[in-house]
């Protein structure tokens, strides 16, 4: 038998491993510390034991070398039922015929009392299940000599299919390789939730050898709350068979205070028969991955905060609102408490307030936000109320942040609510404008370097917006001062008119601060007790509009004093408005003050204007309009109506003439001029506003101040988004007995008649102190009309707040004042007029010219110039 080429080798009993594994399984089911009882060791193996895997077969050979007993497992292995196998020669039945001789010799040795272990090829006789041919196999055989009751030699054979052994060997090798070489922590937990086996990776993390962990529980590795959660999960997996994937567990490694994070996968392990024999635990250390995930989440949060800051901060040009917008972004998304302090001097308009460089200047708390408490705080030191002015001690972290323009960490006060504070200077254009403080309370994660960088970026964005708001506020205040300085002071006074006026800046709010506009109005007294009424509006807002308005208003006054007709005044204004946009005009002068969003405006100034001249003697008013809203007239006993004045083109467009309309105003009539801010709104059409304005003029006989207030109060709920200029005038014509009017023929004796008419009229007005001066000056003007004029001569005296004398003729040549030489006999008439009168001048009329002078009424003081002395002073 030793020559059989079956790789026969001496080996140990193959049942030894099975017995040892069964013993281990029995011992594992005994709790640590309990003695191993005989019952526990010799209890029946349940289904799913090791023999289910090995499938050991057995049979016995009698002294005659024939099979005496044949087990059921032998039937399964060789495919031969017991009734056929008993009595067969195993060598002839199963061994290849070429090996039969060797098999017979080996059997003789076995029956002679020798043990033998080896691998033997065998064949199974053909059967219906195998088809025409039999099945070949390879068996590992363990032959043990024995004796019968009669003392004869026999043998017992134990047979195992080599293929099953090789499969088990391969499975064990693969399992050992996977279990032992896995880079992850691998734990096998028994049904009693005790550790049955761990791999070297797990043991290297928690200390000791793999055997040192046998019998331990989850509480030996994890903190109690976490251990109880995991234990409950293990029981659920064992009972239900549901696997757990990527369960996160937190704990600590022995001898380390660093918190570790693991991702564990759990699944129930079953035997070949399906009996649950434990739970497999596969754990992966994800501490680094969790840290990276936190970093990525923090980066995403920071980007989201920056995106939100870009969208929400700077929507208003109000300092306090911008500061609150910053805090709305950071609380509670970035911190729990936050404040903003701005330099008080910068808020007041100072460019470099004292103490700005060293951080000791006064600051004002402009914003505060809290997610946990309403109590103001400074981050360190005493609390500061919202709106309070304060300063930080020179050696404090906040003062150091202001001084160095670098963020500072402020240590937490012992026992306080706050555990971490960042003091971040707000820097705009290399200038520190204030300080933002961000704090996190106890229980929150302290600020890190990434948080510091984010806080600096957020503060810088807000600082730029705050600085822009500060510059805008300064520009707005300057423009407002400029605009108010250009408006008439108080209520203007005019001959033959009762006047009331209002100017109101547009309503402002936190999200839409008002800007100074280009609205203006003016009342200009003209010769002959006439008055020019002007209302205009420069399109656009801000300092540029205010400056342009100032230039146009000055131009209107200059043109009005030239006594031009209304249409001529607007034509000249149109040329001036077009010139304002040219190089060197107001546009160039205010370029530095221009805001970035105004850079794309047209380089042309457009304005609307209505210009009216009222003559108190004739009570006639001449209108010219340049794109402005129509005047409103209320005659006594009549409803208000809008005058049909051709609108014309706005100033600055050019190329179109302006039309004039003359209207006679009855005594007591009310005339209203206004800008579009009174009647126009984003929420209401212009026509609705105009009708509301006309409807508000229900009691024109009331005092003008009351009428103005009633109009503004009535329209305030609908309008007021823009600046409002309102000019109202009630007609009070010059009485007939205050006018003296005569026509003189063109002859020399008309000079004497003119003196007589003037003397008689003055005496009737009880103005005897003015008689001599008036006679002298009337004589000069009539003489000039005879010498240089044409046609008949008209003399008119007007008495109101002053005495006005006018001499009319048909000549077009304007008088010109010149200095006479000592040898000249004439040329001193106009010098005398200028010396004795308060004012004098000439103007064109539709049919010639008018030369006039004005004398103040006597007030009881001897301040009149003596005509004789005046004459002597000319020589």
């Amino acid at each position: 038998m030793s020559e059989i080429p079956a790789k026969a080798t001496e080996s140990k009993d193959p049942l030894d491993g099975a017995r040892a594994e069964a013993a281990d399984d029995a011992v594992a089911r005994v709790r640590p510390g309990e003695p191993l009882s005989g019952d526990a060791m010799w209890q029946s193996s349940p289904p799913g034991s090791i023999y289910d895997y090995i499938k050991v077969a057995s049979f016995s050979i009698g002294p005659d070398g024939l099979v005496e007993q044949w087990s059921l497992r032998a039937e399964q292995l060789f495919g031969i039922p017991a009734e056929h196998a008993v009595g067969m020669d195993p060598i002839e039945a199963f061994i290849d015929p070429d090996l039969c001789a060797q098999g017979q010799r080996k059997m003789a040795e076995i029956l002679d009392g020798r043990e033998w272990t080896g691998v033997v090829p065998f064949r199974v006789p053909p059967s219906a299940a195998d088809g025409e041919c039999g099945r070949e196999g390879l068996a590992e055989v363990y032959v043990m000599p024995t004796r019968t009751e009669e003392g004869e030699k026999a043998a017992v054979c134990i047979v195992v299919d080599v293929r099953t052994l090789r499969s088990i060997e391969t499975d064990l090798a693969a399992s050992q390789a996977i279990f032992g070489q896995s880079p992850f922590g691998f734990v096998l937990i028994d049904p009693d939730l005790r550790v049955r086996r761990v791999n070297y990776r797990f043991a290297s993390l928690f200390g000791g050898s793999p055997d040192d962990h046998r019998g331990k529980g989850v509480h030996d590795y994890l903190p109690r709350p976490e251990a109880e959660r995991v234990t409950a999960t293990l029981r659920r997996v064992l009972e239900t068979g549901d696997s757990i994937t990527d369960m996160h567990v937190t704990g600590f490694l022995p001898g380390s205070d660093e918190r570790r994070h693991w991702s564990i996968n759990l699944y129930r392990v079953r035997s070949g028969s399906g009996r649950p024999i434990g739970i497999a635990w596969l754990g992966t250390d994800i501490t680094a991955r969790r840290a990276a995930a936190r970093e990525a989440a923090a980066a995403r949060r920071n980007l989201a905060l920056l995106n939100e800051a870009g969208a929400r901060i700077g929507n208003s040009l109000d300092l306090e609102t911008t500061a609150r917008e910053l805090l709305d972004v950071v609380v509670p998304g970035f911190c729990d408490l936050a404040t903003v302090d701005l330099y008080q001097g910068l808020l007041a308009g100072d460019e470099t307030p004292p103490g700005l460089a060293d951080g000791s200047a006064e600051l004002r708390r402009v914003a505060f936000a809290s997610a946990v408490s309403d109590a103001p705080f400074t981050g360190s030191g005493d609390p500061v109320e919202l709106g309070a002015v304060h300063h930080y001690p020179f050696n404090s972290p906040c003062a150091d942040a202001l001084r160095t323009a670098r963020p500072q960490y402020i240590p937490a006060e012992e026992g306080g609510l706050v555990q971490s504070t960042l003091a971040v200077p707000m820097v705009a254009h290399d200038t520190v404008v204030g300080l933002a403080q961000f704090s996190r309370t106890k229980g929150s994660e302290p600020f890190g370097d990434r948080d510091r960088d984010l806080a600096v970026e957020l503060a810088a964005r807000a600082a730029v917006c705050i600085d822009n708001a500060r510059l805008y506020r300064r520009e707005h205040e300057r423009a407002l001062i400029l605009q108010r300085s250009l408006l008439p002071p108080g209520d203007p006074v005019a001959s033959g008119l009762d006047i009331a006026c209002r100017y109101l800046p547009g309503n402002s709010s936190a999200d839409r601060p008002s800007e100074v506009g280009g609205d203006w109005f003016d009342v200009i007294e003209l010769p002959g007790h006439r008055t020019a009424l002007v209302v205009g509006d420069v399109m656009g807002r801000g300092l540029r509009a205010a400056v342009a308005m100032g230039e146009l208003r000055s131009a209107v006054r200059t043109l009005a004093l030239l006594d031009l007709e209304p249409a001529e005044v607007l034509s000249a204004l149109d040329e001036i408005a077009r010139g304002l946009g040219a190089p060197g005009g107001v546009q160039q002068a205010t370029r530095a003050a221009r805001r970035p969003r105004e850079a794309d405006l047209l380089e042309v100034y457009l304005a609307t204007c209505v210009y009216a001249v009222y003559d108190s003697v004739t009570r006639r008013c001449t209108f010219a309009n340049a794109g402005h809203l129509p005047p409103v007239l209320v005659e006594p006993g009549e409803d208000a109506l809008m005058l049909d004045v051709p609108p014309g083109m706005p100033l600055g467009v050019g190329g179109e003439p302006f039309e004039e309309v003359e209207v006679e105003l009855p005594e007591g009539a009310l005339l209203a001029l206004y800008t579009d801010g009174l009647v126009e709104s984003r929420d209401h059409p212009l026509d609705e506003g105009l009708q509301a304005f006309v409807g508000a003029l229900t009691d024109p006989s009331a005092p003008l101040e009351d009428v103005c207030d009633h109009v503004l109060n009535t329209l305030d709920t609908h309008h007021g988004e823009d600046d409002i200029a309102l000019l109202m005038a009630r007609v009070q014509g010059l009485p007939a007995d205050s006018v003296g009017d005569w026509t003189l023929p063109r002859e020399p004796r008309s000079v004497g008649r003119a003196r007589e008419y003037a003397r008689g009229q003055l005496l009737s007005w009880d103005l005897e102190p003015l008689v001599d001066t008036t006679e002298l000056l009337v004589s000069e003007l009539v003489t000039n009309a005879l010498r240089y004029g044409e046609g008949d001569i008209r003399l008119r005296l007007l008495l109101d707040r002053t005495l006005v004398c006018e001499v009319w003729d048909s000549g077009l040549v304007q008088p010109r004042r010149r200095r006479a030489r000592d040898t000249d006999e004439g040329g001193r008439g106009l010098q005398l007029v200028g010396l004795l009168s308060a004012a004098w001048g000439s103007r064109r009329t539709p049919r010639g010219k008018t030369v006039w002078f004005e004398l103040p009424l006597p007030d009881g003081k001897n301040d009149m110039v003596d005509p004789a002395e005046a004459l002597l002073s000319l020589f």
Side-chain angles (χ1 to χ4, degrees):
M1 294 287 290
S2 59
E3 297 178 1
I4 295 178
K7 301 181 182 179
T9 57
E10 298 294 332
S11 66
K12 296 182 180 179
D13 189 343
L15 289 179
D16 288 346
R19 295 191 189 100
E21 189 69 23
D24 286 344
D25 185 64
V27 173
R29 287 193 292 272
V30 179
R31 296 190 178 276
E34 295 182 359
L36 298 177
S37 65
D39 291 341
M41 178 64 73
W42 293 100
Q43 64 183 349
S44 300
S45 296
S49 68
I50 188 67
Y51 300 106
D52 291 333
Y53 294 97
I54 298 178
K55 299 184 183 301
V56 178
S58 64
F59 62 91
S60 63
I61 301 176
D64 56 359
L66 301 179
V67 176
E68 288 189 343
Q69 294 180 334
W70 190 258
S71 68
L72 294 177
R73 286 284 179 86
E75 290 183 4
Q76 296 172 2
L77 177 63
F78 294 105
I80 302 176
E83 58 269 20
H84 294 166
V86 173
M88 294 179 62
D89 183 347
I91 301 299
E92 295 180 355
F94 310 123
I95 303 301
D96 188 274
D98 296 336
L99 302 176
C100 285
Q102 298 177 359
Q104 293 294 343
R105 287 195 299 270
K106 180 57 69 176
M107 178 61 69
E109 294 177 0
I110 292 172
L111 292 177
D112 193 33
R114 289 186 57 184
E115 290 187 0
W116 181 82
T117 301
V119 177
V120 179
F122 68 90
R123 54 185 175 84
V124 178
S127 65
D130 296 328
E132 296 298 327
C133 58
R135 176 171 55 86
E136 293 185 356
L138 193 64
E140 184 172 298
V141 182
Y142 178 31
V143 182
M144 297 173 289
T146 186
R147 291 183 180 274
T148 64
E149 294 179 356
E150 292 77 12
E152 294 179 314
K153 294 181 179 180
V156 175
C157 298
I158 297 176
V159 183
V160 178
D161 191 343
V162 171
R163 292 176 300 178
T164 302
L165 290 177
R166 296 292 180 268
S167 176
I168 293 175
E169 180 183 20
T170 301
D171 291 345
L172 289 175
S175 175
Q176 182 64 27
I178 294 173
F179 197 86
Q181 300 174 21
S182 172
F184 311 114
F186 209 155
V187 183
L188 182 61
I189 299 175
D190 65 20
D192 294 325
L193 305 187
R194 295 287 175 175
V195 174
R196 176 77 176 274
R197 185 178 179 185
V198 303
N199 66 349
Y200 285 101
R201 175 60 178 171
F202 185 90
S204 66
L205 293 176
F206 288 92
S209 65
D211 292 337
D212 294 335
H213 295 272
R214 185 184 294 267
K216 290 185 176 182
V218 177
H219 287 78
D220 296 319
Y221 302 99
L222 299 175
R224 181 169 182 174
E226 192 76 337
E228 291 177 353
R229 181 175 71 91
V230 174
T231 299
T233 304
L234 291 173
R235 288 198 179 99
R236 187 168 65 252
V237 172
L238 189 63
E239 292 171 0
T240 65
D242 296 334
S243 300
I244 299 296
T245 303
D246 196 25
M247 175 181 176
H248 288 191
V249 177
T250 303
F252 299 90
L253 293 177
S256 173
D257 294 333
E258 180 185 2
R259 184 183 298 272
R260 309 292 292 183
H261 302 274
W262 294 278
S263 171
I264 62 173
N265 299 313
L266 304 174
Y267 58 92
R268 189 172 66 181
V269 180
R270 298 184 298 272
S271 67
S273 62
R275 176 177 63 90
I277 60 176
I279 302 170
W281 169 313
L282 181 63
T284 305
D285 191 328
I286 61 171
T287 304
R289 191 176 78 190
R290 283 282 296 270
R294 285 198 302 271
E295 288 292 320
R300 288 193 297 270
R301 181 199 64 188
N302 293 352
L303 289 175
L305 276 175
L306 290 175
N307 182 62
E308 184 180 6
R312 298 181 60 180
I313 299 176
N315 294 322
S316 169
L317 288 173
D318 180 75
L319 292 169
E320 290 78 5
T321 301
T322 303
R324 288 194 298 269
E325 289 171 347
L326 168 63
L327 301 194
D328 290 341
V329 171
V330 300
V331 177
F334 177 70
C335 61
D336 302 313
L337 299 164
T339 63
V340 174
D341 298 323
L342 299 180
Y343 276 120
Q344 177 68 8
L346 294 177
L347 292 175
D350 299 337
E351 291 293 338
T352 54
L356 182 64
D358 59 14
S360 63
E362 289 186 334
L363 299 108
R364 178 157 61 91
R365 177 66 48 85
V366 297
F368 166 75
S370 170
V372 295
S373 173
D374 292 331
F377 82 108
T378 59
S380 63
D382 298 330
V384 177
E385 296 294 334
L386 186 65
V389 177
H390 66 102
H391 66 86
Y392 293 106
F394 185 80
N395 294 326
S396 66
C398 291
D400 189 47
L402 291 168
R403 190 165 44 249
T404 62
R406 294 180 179 178
Q408 299 291 329
Y409 290 99
I410 299 179
E413 295 184 1
E414 186 174 354
L417 174 68
V418 176
Q419 78 157 355
S420 180
T421 299
L422 271 174
V424 183
M426 305 182 71
V427 184
H429 311 300
D430 299 328
T431 300
V432 178
V433 299
L435 182 76
Q437 293 186 71
F438 310 108
S439 292
R440 290 178 178 172
T441 56
K442 296 293 179 61
S444 300
E445 185 177 354
F447 289 114
D449 293 341
R450 184 187 295 275
D451 297 320
R452 179 199 60 198
D453 296 339
L454 175 61
V456 170
E457 176 65 22
L458 291 172
R461 292 192 178 197
V464 172
C465 296
I466 287 175
D467 192 53
N468 289 339
R470 178 182 67 87
L471 294 175
Y472 167 75
R473 175 178 291 184
R474 184 180 65 185
E475 176 186 333
H476 180 270
E477 291 174 351
R478 291 177 178 178
L480 189 60
I481 292 173
L482 172 63
Q483 186 179 42
R484 292 191 181 277
S485 68
L486 295 174
L487 296 175
D491 289 332
V493 178
S495 177
L497 291 175
D498 181 16
I499 293 179
C501 53
R502 293 288 189 274
Y503 174 78
L504 298 177
N507 294 338
S508 62
S509 61
D511 60 341
R512 190 188 59 83
S514 65
E515 294 184 87
V516 173
D519 295 15
W520 92 91
F521 66 90
D522 209 345
V523 178
I524 308 170
E525 290 192 89
L526 301 176
H529 290 297
R530 295 174 303 128
T531 303
L533 304 176
V534 189
V535 170
D537 184 3
V538 176
M539 297 181 186
R541 305 187 64 78
L543 184 60
R544 297 174 64 234
V547 172
M549 178 271 288
E551 292 208 9
L552 290 177
R553 178 180 179 272
S554 299
V556 170
R557 279 192 158 265
T558 302
L559 295 171
L561 293 177
L562 294 176
D563 220 341
L564 301 176
E565 296 297 323
E568 294 177 326
V569 171
L570 294 185
S571 296
L573 277 180
D574 181 60
E575 294 292 336
I576 294 173
R578 284 188 288 169
L580 292 179
V586 66
Q587 174 190 340
Q588 300 295 326
T590 60
R591 188 178 299 276
R594 182 185 304 175
R595 293 149 58 86
R597 62 184 179 86
E598 295 178 320
D600 57 348
L601 291 180
L602 293 175
E603 302 296 331
V604 176
Y605 282 88
L606 297 180
T608 63
C609 179
V610 60
Y611 184 87
V613 175
Y614 170 70
D615 189 333
S616 62
V617 179
T618 63
R619 292 201 309 271
R620 300 186 70 82
C621 189
T622 304
F623 297 90
N625 192 356
H628 204 78
L629 296 174
V632 174
L633 177 65
V634 186
E635 297 185 2
E638 301 290 340
D639 294 334
L641 57 88
M642 289 181 285
L643 292 178
D644 186 13
V645 179
M649 300 298 293
L651 301 177
V653 175
E656 292 293 331
F658 297 97
E659 299 182 42
E660 293 181 356
V661 172
E662 188 176 71
V663 179
E664 183 173 352
L665 305 179
E667 185 74 17
L670 182 63
L671 180 66
L673 306 178
Y674 53 95
T675 58
D676 57 0
L678 181 67
V679 296
E680 194 171 20
S681 164
R682 289 182 297 178
D683 302 326
H684 301 83
L686 178 59
D687 290 344
E688 180 181 330
L690 289 172
Q691 292 301 322
F693 175 45
V694 171
L697 298 174
T698 56
D699 188 12
S701 61
L704 278 186
E705 296 294 333
D706 296 341
V707 175
C708 288
D709 292 339
H710 175 72
V711 168
L712 294 178
N713 293 334
T714 302
L715 300 183
D716 182 63
T717 56
H718 299 288
H719 307 286
E721 297 171 355
D722 196 359
D723 292 355
I724 295 175
L726 175 62
L727 178 61
M728 305 193 76
R730 178 176 286 120
V731 174
Q732 295 176 347
L734 201 62
D737 57 3
S738 296
V739 179
D741 196 346
W742 305 272
T743 301
L744 302 173
R746 190 173 188 79
E747 56 187 28
R749 59 182 179 178
S750 293
V751 177
R753 290 180 182 177
R755 286 198 299 266
E756 292 175 3
Y757 292 150
R759 172 183 287 273
Q761 188 66 62
L762 292 180
L763 291 177
S764 68
W765 287 340
D766 198 17
L767 295 177
E768 185 176 356
L770 300 181
V771 170
D772 293 341
T773 303
T774 303
E775 282 186 328
L776 177 60
L777 298 183
V778 166
S779 185
E780 288 294 333
L781 295 187
V782 173
T783 299
N784 284 343
L786 289 172
R787 181 176 297 179
Y788 304 109
E790 298 177 4
D792 293 338
I793 300 171
R794 181 183 178 188
L795 173 64
R796 189 168 72 167
L797 294 180
L798 306 175
L799 177 62
D800 192 25
R801 291 178 292 109
T802 62
L803 176 66
V804 176
C805 176
E806 299 176 333
V807 176
W808 305 49
D809 69 75
S810 300
L812 298 178
V813 178
Q814 296 290 330
R816 183 172 61 89
R817 182 177 178 180
R818 64 183 180 86
R819 182 174 296 277
R821 294 174 294 183
D822 295 341
T823 58
D824 291 342
E825 295 183 0
R828 295 179 177 87
L830 292 182
Q831 292 186 37
L832 184 64
V833 174
L835 183 62
L836 294 177
S837 65
W840 77 278
S842 67
R843 67 178 184 273
R844 291 183 299 173
T845 65
R847 291 178 294 276
K849 67 176 182 298
T850 299
V851 182
W852 58 271
F853 67 83
E854 182 177 339
L855 294 176
L857 300 181
D859 57 359
K861 298 181 181 179
N862 189 17
D863 53 359
M864 300 294 295
V865 179
D866 183 67
E869 293 180 359
L871 285 172
L872 292 175
S873 67
L874 296 177
F875 296 94

